[in-house]
C-alpha cells in the first residue's frame, strides 16, 4: 500500500554526489552536478569495449578499479560546454597519462553492446585504444555514447519512457549512509561507499529507508523510485587494489536477499542494496537543473515494506 507523505520536514539530505564518466573506472566526487534525462551529466558517457564491441566492466576486468578519471571542475557547472582545450584525463599505475578531448569525436563504431542493448557509439581513436589495450592486455577501445543518433531505453516494465547512457539499468542510483553503516556493523572489515557505486548518497534517515521511497523531491526535482537495486559481484572488489573477495556479498545474502526481503515473491537469488531512480521532470536548459550536496530530500510517496517495493 503506497502512502502519500504530507510532512514538510526533510527525511534526509544529500551528503555526496558521485559521477563515473567511464563505466567501471574510478569515481569523481563533486559538490554539484547538472541533471539530464539520462542521469547526471557525464555519468557513464564512456565505456571500454572488447574486440567484439561488448562492454568491458569490473565484472570481467576488476583492474579497471585502478583507472582514475578527471574532468575539468567547471564541467559540473550548468550550461558549461567544452572548448577545443577541454579534456578528460585518464591515469593508471604504470601507464602514461591519457588525455581525451571532450569535443565530440568524428569516428563512429557500430556493433557496440551493453547488456541487451546494441547500437553505434563515437570512437575515441587509436591512442585511447592502444592505452586500454596495453593496460588490460587485450584488444580494447574507448567509445562515447552517441546521444545524437542512439537511444537506450530503461526496462519499460519499471519506468516507461526513460532513457540512459551506459549505466547498467537506470539513470540514477541512491543509497543512504544509514544502510551502509548498518551493513558495516555486521562486517569484520567495513567497506567504503565506493564498493556500491551510487550517484547520490543521503544521510539522516533510518537504515534501508530508501527501499520504501517511490517518490522523492531533491531540491525542486521529483524522482521516482522505480526498483530496488540488485547487486552483482562488483561490491566484492576492493576499489583501491582491484582484488575481489567474498564480502560484503556473503553478509548481504543473509540480510538483503529476495528470500529475506520478499519471501512471498518469486525467488531469484538476488541481493538488494540501494534504490534506482528516474527524474520525472522535463529538464529544459538554463533552468537551474542542478542537484547539490546539502540539498534536502523530501519523501513524497512510499510503500510500507521492502516486500511491496518493485525489485
Amino acid at each position: 500500500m503506497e502512502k502519500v507523505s504530507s510532512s514538510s520536514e526533510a527525511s534526509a539530505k544529500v551528503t555526496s554526489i558521485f559521477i563515473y564518466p567511464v563505466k567501471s573506472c574510478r569515481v569523481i566526487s563533486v559538490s554539484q552536478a547538472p541533471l539530464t534525462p539520462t542521469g547526471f551529466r557525464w555519468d557513464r558517457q564512456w565505456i571500454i569495449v572488447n574486440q567484439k564491441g561488448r562492454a568491458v566492466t569490473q565484472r570481467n576486468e576488476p583492474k579497471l578499479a585502478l583507472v582514475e578519471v578527471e574532468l575539468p571542475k567547471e564541467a559540473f557547472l550548468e550550461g558549461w560546454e567544452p572548448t577545443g582545450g577541454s579534456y578528460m584525463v585518464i591515469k593508471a599505475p604504470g601507464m602514461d597519462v591519457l588525455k581525451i578531448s571532450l569535443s565530440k569525436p568524428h569516428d563512429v563504431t557500430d556493433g557496440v553492446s551493453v547488456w541487451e542493448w546494441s547500437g553505434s557509439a563515437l570512437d575515441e581513436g587509436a591512442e585511447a585504444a592502444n592505452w586500454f589495450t596495453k593496460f588490460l592486455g587485450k584488444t580494447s577501445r574507448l567509445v562515447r555514447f552517441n546521444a545524437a543518433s542512439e537511444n537506450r531505453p530503461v526496462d519499460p516494465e519499471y519506468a516507461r519512457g526513460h532513457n540512459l547512457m551506459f549505466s547498467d539499468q537506470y539513470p540514477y542510483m541512491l543509497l543512504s549512509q544509514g544502510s551502509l553503516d548498518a551493513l558495516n556493523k555486521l562486517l569484520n572489515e567495513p567497506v567504503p561507499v565506493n564498493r556500491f557505486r551510487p550517484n547520490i548518497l543521503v544521510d539522516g534517515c533510518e537504515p534501508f529507508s530508501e527501499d520504501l521511497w517511490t517518490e522523492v523531491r531533491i531540491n525542486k526535482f521529483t524522482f521516482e523510485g522505480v526498483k530496488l537495486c540488485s547487486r552483482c559481484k562488483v561490491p566484492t572488489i576492493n576499489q583501491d587494489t582491484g582484488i575481489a573477495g567474498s564480502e560484503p556479498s556473503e553478509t548481504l545474502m543473509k540480510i538483503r536477499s529476495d528470500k529475506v526481503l520478499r519471501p512471498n515473491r518469486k525467488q531469484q537469488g538476488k541481493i538488494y542494496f540501494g534504490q534506482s531512480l528516474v527524474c520525472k521532470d522535463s529538464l529544459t536548459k538554463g533552468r537551474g537543473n542542478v542537484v547539490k550536496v546539502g540539498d534536502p530530500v523530501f519523501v513524497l510517496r512510499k510503500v510500507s515494506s521492502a516486500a511491496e517495493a518493485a525489485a
Side-chain angles (χ1 to χ4, degrees), residues 35 216-223 281 283 288-291:
L35 297 166
V216 296
R217 195 172 76 241
I218 303 175
N219 191 340
K220 59 187 178 185
F221 306 100
T222 306
F223 293 85
D281 300 310
L283 300 165
N289 299 327
V290 174
V291 168

Side-chain angles (χ1 to χ4, degrees), residues 53-189:
R54 291 198 186 118
V56 177
T57 72
Q58 285 188 35
R59 292 175 183 86
N60 43 23
E61 292 290 349
K63 71 186 290 196
L64 286 176
L66 307 179
V67 177
E68 282 181 62
V69 181
E70 294 168 12
L71 285 176
K73 289 238 181 330
E74 58 272 22
F76 299 99
L77 301 175
E78 194 188 19
W80 180 81
E81 289 302 328
T83 66
S86 306
Y87 291 92
M88 175 169 66
V89 176
I90 298 178
K91 301 173 181 174
M95 298 291 294
D96 292 336
V97 172
L98 175 65
K99 289 172 81 174
I100 301 293
S101 172
L102 291 180
S103 301
K104 291 277 164 66
H106 304 296
D107 293 339
V108 172
T109 295
D110 293 319
V112 167
S113 60
V114 181
W115 296 108
E116 70 308 321
W117 178 87
S118 64
S120 69
L122 299 165
D123 195 302
E124 292 292 3
E127 189 188 354
N130 293 340
W131 195 96
F132 279 101
T133 297
K134 181 181 174 188
F135 181 68
L136 294 174
K138 53 191 76 167
T139 303
S140 308
R141 299 195 77 81
L142 180 67
V143 300
R144 183 174 184 175
F145 194 83
N146 190 0
S149 70
E150 296 296 327
N151 236 9
R152 186 169 167 239
V154 305
D155 186 339
E157 190 184 330
Y158 292 95
R160 189 172 293 281
H162 291 272
N163 295 294
L164 69 168
M165 288 194 179
F166 291 134
S167 301
D168 268 359
Q169 293 183 308
Y170 297 94
Y172 299 93
M173 203 276 276
L174 178 147
L175 185 64
S176 76
Q177 186 68 45
S179 302
L180 182 62
D181 292 347
L183 170 64
N184 277 333
K185 281 182 184 151
L186 302 174
L187 297 174
N188 292 330
E189 290 184 31

Side-chain angles (χ1 to χ4, degrees), residues 186-206:
L186 302 174
L187 297 174
N188 292 330
E189 290 184 31
V191 294
V193 69
N194 66 12
R195 294 286 191 101
F196 299 101
R197 305 180 78 77
N199 296 111
I200 303 170
L201 184 69
V202 303
D203 199 6
C205 56
E206 292 292 312

Side-chain angles (χ1 to χ4, degrees), residues 5 23 65 86 99 102 115 205 210 215 236 239 253 295 297 304:
S5 172
K23 185 179 179 71
S86 306
K99 289 172 81 174
L102 291 180
W115 296 108
C205 56
E210 66 271 28
E215 193 172 274
T236 67
Q239 296 296 300
M253 189 56 88
D295 278 347
V297 179
S304 51

Side-chain angles (χ1 to χ4, degrees), residues 13 20 32 137 151 240:
K13 75 171 184 177
Y20 309 83
Q32 67 168 55
N151 236 9
D240 294 328

